[in-house]
Amino acid sequence: MRSLRRHATTLILVALAAAAAVVLLVLDRGSVSTDEAERRRKNLFEAWRPDEITELTVTMASPGAPQTARLTRGEVNDAGQRPWNVEIDGQRYPADEPTVDQLLGTLEFATAERRVSADAVDAAALGLASPRLTIALAMGPRRERLLLGGGAPTPPGAVYAEVAGRGVFVITKQLAAALDVPPDRLRSRSFVPYLASELAGLTLDGDGGPRRFSRAPWAGGRGAGFRFAEGSPEGSGVRVNAEAMDRVLSTLGRLQADGFLSDEAAQQAAASGGPRVTLTLLPSDPSAKPGVIELGGACPDRPDHVVALRREPTRAAACVHESALDPLTEDASRFVDLALVGAPLDEVAEVKLAVGERGERSLELARAGSEWHLRSPEDRPVPTETGRALVQAILDVRATRLLPTASDPRALGLDPPRATLRVLSTPPESPGEGEPQERIETLEIGAEQAGVVHVRRLEDGAVAEIPAAAAGALLPSEVSLRSMQVFDLPPDRISALRIERPGLVQRLRRTGDGAWRLVEPSGEGLAADAALAEELAELLGGLKAERWVAPDPGQSYGLAAPRLVVEAELSPAPEPDGAAGSAGARSARVELGARAGAGSFARAGQGAAVFVAPPALEAAAGRLLLRRDVFAVAPEDVARVTLTPANGKPVVFEASPGGFTVAGAADQASATAAAAGVRDALADLRAEGAVALGKPEQHHGLTPPRLRIAVDLARPPAAPAAGGAGAPRPPGGSFTIAIGAGDAFRGTNVVYARRDGVNAVYAIAQSRVRPLLDAAGVAAAAAPAGPR
């Protein structure tokens, strides 16, 4: 007791000192230190403590009532952030964080051009009695207020500003514009109330029909984890196409209000066109209300926008870009997943195939990092490109249709299945969902029936119908694990090429100097195109399979009667320098059968295993390998060009030291420009390729042509190169080009063309011919005289 009395005085003094410190700290928080004042002496606000800012109010003058936005800072969320909320017209919304951050940053670094003397301050005259903008903020115990008034005389566009307690300043036009943030812009522009990860399902009604989706039990991110909801015509539980659903979810994630509308204005605008689609979002949280958004109707003063009206869980109306409607109005059939396996390639970790009821034949392939390893029927590594090709082939298989789930499995060859394929994948970790879960997709593969195979996806119970040829990818064998290299031959070992397709044989032979000579077909003016022949030789010599399909061609791959056969004669190799079996070979042969996606089923020789050849091989071998520069002529070789359009009068262009001219032209400027265009076009008149041999057909539009070009040469042309590489010109030093109908050729808009002395029809890009067609019209108007 005596000890307690002895220390009582000390304890009381300590408590008083602590209380005084707290009071001093609280009082001092609102003061500005000398260092702080010195650092910020040029700033409008003499103190700035961002962590202490809890409230910001922006009031903007308007013809009606002033517009006010009151921003308050929330509590720390799970992400460690303190989000802002904004209250406008009594309604509370999430704030647009980037806009708030930008405004606070502008206030923090705002500086004045100059201070206005207190004697010269007249609030009314400076526009500060009725300010156009008022910004107030609470920063700990400090309260700051900034007013923007009328314009100042200098610098141009400057504005008067008053900081409460500090005085009146002049600020720049740029600073005033940065502070002039309409209250509506402080409101979050995100319009969708829930994130994709928060959804248990969603429905779409309106354009595109009723579509009902629910979250699926299998693993998968975003669109990969949805199925058709119970009662859907497409089949309850049927898997939804991940790409189609991703387009919907991405659109919702990007749906931004480009301008908010009053409820009345939104109702009037929507009534003009009615909502085109109604979106209902079903949150995973059972206590949360569904989100309901209607889109459609023209937005006032925004021709490329539509009205978005959110009815639940909170009401809001805005203008959004009309592109948001595209993925939300797709027909339900576009959402049906016709892929047999839903996992993407980079997520697949293991593939297991068991053929027969007891797994008489099996194949097991597993990923080891970026590499692949065969576990069964033997244990060995597999080349990366081979493993990827095998798995990608499985993933590429698509059903032509899905059958009703009530279909008889025995009648479809699925009871029992002929094989079972199991694909294990590991989807990436989704935010907030913990460790990623393995996804196991099992396919039961039926027997072939009348050219089709039925496959049951156990993941959703759907039964798919696929062509028998495509089903081969689901039944990989050891041949599927071969090296992808079919031939490994240096192009210069290829001494001759033979390409056969129905109705046409082409033969080319390499000459002693390495050029190519056309052997077949023969005809006036025909010669080999060295670049096209060399391209084919390179593709054939380094041919790689896109994937291996089967050990023998059977009847399903169109190889009994190939569409295209490419053969090459090989010069002897001094020593082995190619793949096994090709170094000492004297020939190479590839047959192309039925289409296999973009490529073709193929085999390298009679009875060989079937592989898928890349589309580039058929593109190179399926064209006429004829020289493409038969129309081009050097401008210095030309004496005269006569353009004769169909149902028009001829126009003559003559060579002169200064370039081509149109004699007697009334409009010399237009004629000179047209003549220059003709000169350049003739030098650039290179064909995309030959399209037919012999006389033109009716659809070529060459009898009569739309434009005839007669070229008179100034001197005899050079003799053709040895081996037939040149295109001979007719006697007399002149030739004629006929331009016919338009069409498309290998993805290019072309016109058909023919040159006398060359027994073939060609395709020339329209862009190369357009200057000549234009010149015929322009020059005809400028020079009414006929040809000389």
Side-chain angles (χ1 to χ4, degrees):
M1 194 69 180
R2 184 177 301 162
S3 174
L4 180 62
R5 283 197 301 270
R6 186 168 62 247
H7 293 292
T9 301
T10 302
L11 293 172
I12 291 170
L13 290 174
V14 169
L16 290 173
V22 170
V23 170
L24 182 61
L25 177 63
V26 170
L27 293 175
D28 190 56
R29 284 176 62 199
S31 63
V32 181
S33 68
T34 303
D35 287 345
E36 188 175 18
E38 178 59 27
R39 285 197 313 270
R40 298 189 57 82
R41 62 188 175 83
K42 292 185 178 181
N43 295 96
L44 292 180
F45 296 105
E46 60 181 354
W48 192 264
R49 296 154 191 175
D51 292 341
E52 297 182 16
I53 299 174
T54 56
E55 187 174 319
L56 179 69
T57 303
V58 177
T59 302
M60 181 173 286
S62 64
Q67 298 176 358
T68 299
R70 178 174 171 267
L71 292 138
T72 54
R73 210 162 201 172
E75 297 300 321
V76 177
N77 59 20
D78 294 340
Q81 305 295 321
R82 294 177 61 196
W84 288 92
N85 295 298
V86 61
E87 184 180 309
I88 301 174
D89 297 333
Q91 296 292 319
R92 190 176 175 85
Y93 311 101
D96 188 71
E97 298 284 340
T99 303
V100 175
D101 289 345
Q102 186 175 359
L103 178 58
L104 290 173
T106 301
L107 291 169
E108 178 180 2
F109 298 105
T111 59
E113 286 291 291
R114 62 182 183 276
R115 181 188 290 270
V116 178
S117 169
D119 298 337
V121 172
D122 181 339
L126 302 183
L128 294 168
S130 300
R132 75 187 202 192
L133 180 69
T134 302
I135 299 176
L137 60 90
M139 186 166 55
R142 295 182 65 86
R143 297 294 181 269
E144 303 285 4
R145 190 175 67 149
L146 172 67
L147 310 178
L148 295 192
T154 58
V159 172
Y160 289 110
E162 180 179 0
V163 179
R166 293 203 70 196
V168 177
F169 302 87
V170 173
I171 63 173
T172 63
K173 172 183 177 181
Q174 291 77 16
L175 175 57
L179 294 170
D180 205 355
V181 180
D184 251 2
R185 280 187 52 196
L186 296 167
R187 176 179 172 183
S188 173
R189 308 176 84 78
S190 295
F191 202 74
V192 178
Y194 302 115
L195 300 174
S197 59
E198 299 172 334
L199 296 180
L202 69 152
T203 69
L204 296 166
D205 290 290
D207 291 6
R211 290 140 291 166
R212 307 280 185 268
F213 310 114
S214 62
R215 185 70 71 175
W218 50 80
R222 291 179 64 83
F226 281 86
R227 60 183 175 180
F228 283 94
E230 186 175 353
S232 296
E234 294 72 27
S236 298
V238 169
R239 195 170 70 203
V240 169
N241 180 281
E243 292 181 2
M245 182 56 72
D246 269 343
R247 287 193 292 270
V248 170
L249 298 179
S250 296
T251 295
L252 299 183
R254 297 193 307 267
L255 197 64
Q256 299 284 310
D258 288 338
F260 290 97
L261 299 171
S262 68
D263 226 27
E264 181 182 1
Q267 296 280 14
Q268 291 176 353
S272 63
R276 288 187 54 191
V277 65
T278 299
L279 169 70
T280 304
L281 304 172
L282 306 173
S284 303
D285 184 354
S287 64
K289 289 184 177 181
V292 180
I293 300 174
E294 296 176 353
L295 289 95
C299 224
D301 303 321
R302 291 176 182 263
D304 56 351
H305 285 62
V306 294
V307 174
L309 179 60
R310 188 177 67 215
R311 296 190 178 276
E312 296 289 349
T314 58
R315 200 167 179 87
C319 291
V320 300
H321 199 273
E322 64 184 0
S323 60
L325 288 170
D326 295 339
L328 304 182
T329 54
E330 285 192 341
D331 187 77
S333 62
R334 301 290 296 274
F335 289 90
V336 176
D337 191 1
L338 296 176
L340 275 297
V341 177
L345 175 63
D346 291 339
E347 295 177 12
V348 174
E350 185 177 276
V351 173
K352 289 184 177 181
L353 172 71
V355 180
E357 291 186 61
R358 296 181 177 83
E360 291 84 356
R361 180 171 71 84
S362 66
L363 184 143
E364 185 175 339
L365 185 70
R367 186 194 296 272
S370 61
E371 304 296 321
W372 293 91
H373 195 92
L374 185 66
R375 293 176 178 168
S376 176
E378 59 178 315
D379 191 289
R380 64 177 175 87
V382 172
T384 299
E385 65 173 351
T386 302
R388 287 180 64 89
L390 184 151
V391 177
Q392 186 64 64
I394 294 172
L395 304 186
D396 287 342
V397 178
R398 295 289 186 274
T400 52
R401 63 180 181 130
L402 299 185
L403 276 60
T405 53
S407 302
D408 180 7
R410 184 172 294 275
L412 299 176
L414 287 165
D415 186 15
R418 122 171 98 144
T420 301
L421 181 68
R422 179 177 177 269
V423 178
L424 184 147
S425 59
T426 306
E429 181 179 348
S430 299
E433 295 184 5
E435 289 297 319
Q437 301 177 3
E438 287 185 344
R439 178 182 184 181
I440 299 175
E441 300 179 71
T442 303
L443 305 179
E444 291 182 345
I445 304 164
E448 181 178 342
Q449 297 178 327
V452 300
V453 171
H454 296 100
V455 179
R456 179 162 48 208
R457 293 188 307 219
L458 297 193
E459 185 172 70
D460 62 351
V463 177
E465 183 177 282
I466 61 175
L474 303 176
L475 300 164
S477 62
E478 290 188 64
V479 73
S480 307
L481 299 173
R482 286 185 177 185
S483 167
M484 309 308 288
Q485 196 77 47
V486 179
F487 296 127
D488 189 8
L489 302 165
D492 57 7
R493 266 202 73 197
I494 297 178
S495 58
L497 289 167
R498 184 181 186 276
I499 307 102
E500 181 179 357
R501 68 186 193 200
L504 177 67
V505 173
Q506 297 185 82
R507 290 194 300 130
L508 299 91
R509 184 165 294 280
R510 199 186 289 273
T511 61
D513 59 0
W516 287 92
R517 178 173 60 86
L518 183 67
V519 178
E520 188 180 358
S522 60
E524 184 182 16
L526 301 184
D529 188 298
L532 295 181
E534 202 62 39
E535 178 186 357
L536 178 56
E538 290 178 2
L539 281 168
L540 185 64
L543 182 61
K544 282 188 175 183
E546 292 199 336
R547 62 182 172 92
W548 290 95
V549 177
D552 57 75
Q555 300 297 317
S556 303
Y557 306 108
L559 290 165
R563 294 183 299 109
L564 189 65
V565 178
V566 184
E567 293 180 281
E569 290 182 20
L570 307 177
S571 58
E575 57 185 54
D577 61 350
S582 67
R586 299 304 303 271
S587 66
R589 175 187 173 98
V590 175
E591 299 175 356
L592 302 186
R595 299 282 185 186
S600 303
F601 291 114
R603 61 181 175 182
Q606 291 285 343
V610 180
F611 64 93
V612 174
L617 178 63
E618 182 167 355
R623 64 194 305 172
L624 287 166
L625 304 182
L626 301 181
R627 187 167 180 169
R628 292 168 290 172
D629 61 354
V630 295
F631 301 99
V633 58
E636 60 271 18
D637 291 343
V638 177
R640 182 181 298 102
V641 177
T642 304
L643 303 182
T644 307
N647 302 318
K649 54 189 177 182
V651 181
V652 177
F653 297 85
E654 292 186 333
S656 68
F660 285 8
T661 61
V662 181
D667 184 349
Q668 197 58 247
S670 297
T672 300
V678 168
R679 176 187 174 95
D680 294 341
L682 286 175
D684 192 41
L685 206 57
R686 181 181 179 84
E688 298 297 303
V691 296
L693 295 170
K695 294 181 179 180
E697 299 178 15
Q698 186 173 358
H699 73 275
H700 293 144
L702 290 164
T703 51
R706 63 193 289 197
L707 177 67
R708 192 178 298 278
I709 307 166
V711 180
D712 294 320
L713 300 175
R715 58 178 183 267
R729 296 188 173 118
S734 66
F735 62 93
T736 302
I737 300 170
I739 304 297
D743 205 341
F745 176 77
R746 296 179 178 264
T748 301
N749 292 326
V750 299
V751 294
Y752 294 117
R754 185 177 173 87
R755 182 194 136 160
D756 55 7
V758 180
N759 195 27
V761 177
Y762 287 79
I764 304 178
Q766 290 185 12
S767 59
R768 297 179 187 269
V769 175
R770 177 56 55 191
L772 297 169
L773 295 170
D774 291 344
V778 171
R788 300 178 186 179

